[in-house]
Amino acid sequence: MAIHSVRAPSSIQLLRSSVSPLYSKPLFQSSSSFSSSIVSAPFTRLKSNSPISRPRVVLVRAASTGVADPVAEYREDIGEILGDVSIFTASGQPVKFSDLLDQNDGVSAVVLLRHFGCVCCWELATALREAKPRFDAAGVKLVAVGVGTPDKARILATRLPFPMECLYADPERKAYDVLGLYYGLGRTFFNPASKKIFSRFDELREATKNYTVKATPEDRSSVLQQGGTFVFRGKKLLYGRKDEGTGDHPSLDDVINVCCQSKATVA
């Protein structure tokens, strides 16, 4: 199935603070894993009802079209598999991913942020907050998920601010693993796609007025996780885009257009 696919007070300093200190944790387990002696930060793990062993990636194959952004093809039952993942509301209650998707075959826009201490994710969350009236007007449910514990999610929600009813925490990165989102040092620091950040200094400066590094997950390996954006109708995946690197977010206009086209097709 083909799927459609920083200056506050200093943007560079904020970018550096949001990803350091760190140590690496590969998406695919291997004997040649990278480790760092920079820090021995504690690993915070919340218990969930449906543990998923890493890796559980259901990406079938990567593809590309004439569209500028990359796309991906997933299994037909990706929505069912993702639905079994248990994460947390920002208030700390466990919730199945299936409960986040529209239960009446409506359209949901699911945005997976990198982590709650990432300045680029504060910028993306700001854009999502500003675009929420457009999602609401189109009858689209907005779901934002970040890496970190619920208390980290509440820091972002309070200081940005961001609507808590739309914000969820995935401390063990289960949904990220299921969706095969990118992870690693190179993706975080050195991917060419991250150059988009430098065209958005004004947005980053505005979004990080109340930024605090305290929103960064205690599990410092989480800062190497990349995000992605997905559109579902019920549990059927309509659009999937994986961020190639830090700050490589899709155009929300494109995401809203996909949502609206999907609803028009159904109508």
Side-chain angles (χ1 to χ4, degrees):
M1 177 183 70
I3 308 299
H4 292 296
S5 47
V6 206
R7 212 156 160 149
S10 167
S11 300
I12 299 300
Q13 290 176 350
L14 285 174
L15 282 169
R16 293 178 63 184
S17 68
S18 69
V19 294
S20 179
L22 57 83
Y23 57 90
S24 176
K25 179 179 180 182
L27 178 62
F28 297 98
Q29 303 296 331
S30 68
S31 59
S32 58
S33 60
F34 168 83
S35 63
S36 170
S37 60
I38 296 176
V39 65
S40 56
F43 176 51
T44 302
R45 181 180 294 272
L46 295 184
K47 299 297 183 182
S48 62
N49 297 327
S50 303
I52 296 179
S53 300
R54 202 173 259 113
R56 186 182 179 182
V57 179
V58 294
L59 179 68
V60 176
R61 64 181 177 85
S64 62
T65 65
V67 182
D69 288 331
V71 299
E73 290 189 358
Y74 289 86
R75 284 171 41 168
E76 292 279 353
D77 59 349
I78 178 62
E80 295 288 345
I81 297 172
L82 182 64
D84 287 338
V85 171
S86 181
I87 58 176
F88 298 87
T89 65
S91 61
Q93 300 301 312
V95 60
K96 284 289 189 70
F97 219 104
S98 57
D99 294 331
L100 308 185
L101 303 178
D102 193 288
Q103 302 299 302
N104 299 311
D105 283 338
V107 177
S108 305
V110 179
V111 181
L112 287 89
L113 311 172
R114 291 186 59 243
H115 63 85
F116 294 118
C118 170
V119 295
C120 294
C121 292
W122 283 52
E123 177 221 354
L124 176 56
T126 298
L128 289 170
R129 182 193 66 200
E130 294 173 350
K132 189 176 184 302
R134 297 174 61 194
F135 284 106
D136 292 343
V140 175
K141 183 178 182 180
L142 177 62
V143 176
V145 182
V147 176
T149 49
D151 60 307
K152 303 297 185 180
R154 292 194 294 273
I155 291 175
L156 182 147
T158 301
R159 295 179 69 99
L160 193 57
F162 189 85
M164 278 189 51
E165 67 272 15
C166 299
L167 190 61
Y168 299 86
D170 186 0
E172 295 179 337
R173 311 200 308 275
K174 294 179 180 179
Y176 296 74
D177 288 345
V178 165
L179 292 168
L181 300 184
Y182 295 123
Y183 179 94
L185 192 66
R187 291 283 180 180
T188 302
F189 293 105
F190 308 116
N191 194 278
S194 295
K195 67 183 180 181
K196 293 180 180 180
I197 296 171
F198 300 107
S199 66
R200 305 198 307 264
F201 276 130
D202 290 342
E203 291 86 350
L204 283 162
R205 180 173 60 246
E206 182 65 25
T208 53
K209 283 182 176 179
N210 293 319
Y211 174 82
T212 174
V213 73
K214 293 180 180 179
T216 304
E218 296 300 326
D219 172 15
R220 294 300 196 253
S221 67
S222 296
V223 304
L224 299 180
Q225 180 66 59
Q226 297 301 318
T229 302
F230 301 84
V231 175
F232 291 87
R233 183 170 61 238
K235 293 183 180 180
K236 181 180 180 181
L237 181 64
L238 304 176
Y239 168 99
R241 183 187 184 280
K242 303 194 297 182
D243 295 348
E244 293 287 329
T246 302
D248 178 37
H249 310 143
S251 163
L252 291 185
D253 287 339
D254 291 345
V255 176
I256 292 174
N257 286 339
V258 170
C259 294
C260 292
Q261 289 170 10
S262 170
K263 293 181 72 67
T265 300
V266 172

